[in-house]
Amino acid sequence: EVVLTQSPGTLSLSPGDSVTLSCRSSQSFSVNYFAWYQQKPGQAPRLLIYGASSRATGVPDRFSGSGSGTDFTLTISRLEPEDFAVYYCQQFGSAPWTFGQGTKVEIK
Amino acid sequence: QVQLQQRGAGRLKPSETLSLTCAVYGGSFSGYYWSWIRQTPGKGLEWIGESNHVGGTRYNPSLESRVTISVDASRSQFSLRLSFVTAADMAVYYCARQLVGANNPFDYWGQGTMVTVSS
């Protein structure tokens, strides 16, 4: 099973800050088999980014993804109040599909 | 607008069988994989398994011996059965959709069902 390790666990930031979240895989993948999700309390995860840098429908362009091999990143430019949430990475290149443990972006 | 609506019992006793159904509204049922995913504070998000629209399934090896995912394409719905539940199966269970083909993530999710296991 592929293990995805996200860092850091928690980030305390202010609106307007920019942030880069990291996800490291135990196995090398094409970025095409990788996605990022956002989850707010009491809600299901919401797809943000998939593939190299494809944003899901309705996702603002302040969200961007990159990476290759075993290291992938999600960058959020100019945090808005609604961006404070937990972010998960996920791989769908090798079954069983697996998720990272999440990075919480909280308001400082 | 695609919607996945979950229903099913959220309170079980140890050794009982968990049964959840996810109804799909507003989109095609064919051409997708239909998955179940669960979330716990300790283990995070865990993919349980998937089925295509004609019943071809794939399961997470960690749960395979206890899991059955079935589809009813005529009703655009799919179901999860997890047998012999224990406290370790307490989680929020989600259904989700994944387009068939390479490099396709889970683009729509159900609202989630909190499942508790207690005698």
Side-chain angles (χ1 to χ4, degrees):
Chain A
E1 171 173 313
V2 175
V3 177
L4 299 178
T5 303
Q6 293 186 241
S7 60
T10 302
L11 282 166
S12 297
L13 298 165
S14 300
D17 288 345
S18 294
V19 61
T20 296
L21 311 182
S22 174
C23 181
R24 175 161 288 179
S25 173
S26 62
Q27 180 176 320
S28 181
F29 283 103
S30 163
V31 70
N32 291 332
Y33 299 100
F34 205 80
W36 289 93
Y37 300 84
Q38 176 194 69
Q39 187 178 35
K40 297 179 180 178
Q43 298 182 15
R46 168 199 178 198
L47 177 64
L48 288 179
I49 301 285
Y50 63 99
S53 60
S54 299
R55 281 183 293 274
T57 303
V59 175
D61 60 7
R62 63 179 181 272
F63 290 91
S64 62
S66 64
S68 64
T70 59
D71 293 294
F72 302 90
T73 59
L74 172 70
T75 298
I76 312 172
S77 305
R78 303 176 309 279
L79 282 162
E80 296 286 342
E82 62 267 27
D83 299 337
F84 291 90
V86 181
Y87 293 86
Y88 295 95
C89 56
Q90 184 235 336
Q91 65 82 20
F92 39 92
S94 176
W97 319 136
T98 53
F99 296 82
Q101 81 280 16
T103 291
K104 182 178 183 180
V105 178
E106 64 179 19
I107 300 177
K108 181 187 286 185
Chain B
Q1 175 72 354
V2 176
Q3 290 187 16
L4 277 62
Q5 289 190 6
Q6 302 176 215
R7 64 179 189 272
R11 185 176 296 274
L12 297 166
K13 296 180 179 180
S15 80
E16 290 186 334
T17 297
L18 181 159
S19 181
L20 298 174
T21 296
C22 183
V24 181
Y25 298 100
S28 173
F29 195 71
S30 62
Y32 293 93
Y33 291 115
W34 303 98
S35 280
W36 288 96
I37 297 160
R38 68 183 183 180
Q39 185 173 31
T40 62
K43 294 188 69 176
L45 290 159
E46 180 180 30
W47 176 74
I48 298 168
E50 67 189 17
S51 177
N52 62 20
H53 71 288
V54 292
T57 56
R58 176 160 50 179
Y59 300 126
N60 191 322
S62 67
L63 295 165
E64 187 166 15
S65 63
R66 297 192 292 130
V67 172
T68 302
I69 296 175
S70 58
V71 299
D72 184 345
S74 67
R75 294 185 172 184
S76 292
Q77 63 185 33
F78 60 109
S79 298
L80 168 70
R81 288 176 61 84
L82 179 66
S83 61
F84 301 105
V85 298
T86 69
D89 296 310
M90 291 179 58
V92 177
Y93 286 74
Y94 294 101
C95 58
R97 186 184 85 164
Q98 184 182 18
L99 182 65
V100 169
N103 62 286
N104 291 306
F106 300 112
D107 59 352
Y108 285 94
W109 296 62
Q111 79 274 21
T113 301
M114 179 68 201
V115 171
T116 58
V117 179
S118 174
S119 56

